[in-house]
Amino acid sequence: MHQEDYMRAAIALARDGMNSGRGGPFGCVIVRKGKIVARGQNRVTSANDPTAHAEVSAIREACASLQTFQLDDCELYTSCEPCPMCLAAIYWARIPRVYYGNTRADAAAIGFDDDFIYRQIPLPPEQRAVKMKSLLRKAAQATFLEWAGKTDKVRY
């Protein structure tokens, strides 16, 4: 298979998920060594889970299938430029290469305003639409100090 074939597979998943009523028009495949190892569709509305985006679902499936939390030897093909949540998940999974079809502007044009979140991220917490306030920082830092001194931790 070629890159275009993987993207066509992601687009087909997007169409299938949308037409079956599972969620929005988003699909994703993860490829490792020329083989699709995971597939994801948007299932936000059918699963009542706002994190059930195609990319997150595919990352979860790939990690479970490959028994690893790092996908640093994989590529991700998605029918749309990843939203901020999915982009963060891609970074956490250490996926080094992403191919996408639609842009976030295309998504905004049909009512998916990921760009709003992109614009919120660089703002200081007190200026974001979601009200945020630091609370019990000193108590919370105790756990971080324990983690820093832990000798048997698995780094990620």
Side-chain angles (χ1 to χ4, degrees), residues 76-91:
L76 187 142
Y77 294 79
T78 180
S79 63
C80 186
E81 182 179 357
C83 76
M85 176 186 68
C86 293
L87 183 60
I90 289 163
Y91 274 94

Side-chain angles (χ1 to χ4, degrees), residues 1 3 35 43 52 54 56 61 64 91 108-109 150:
M1 291 181 81
Q3 291 175 334
K35 181 181 175 204
R43 294 179 296 106
V56 170
E61 182 180 301
Y91 274 94
K150 195 168 168 48

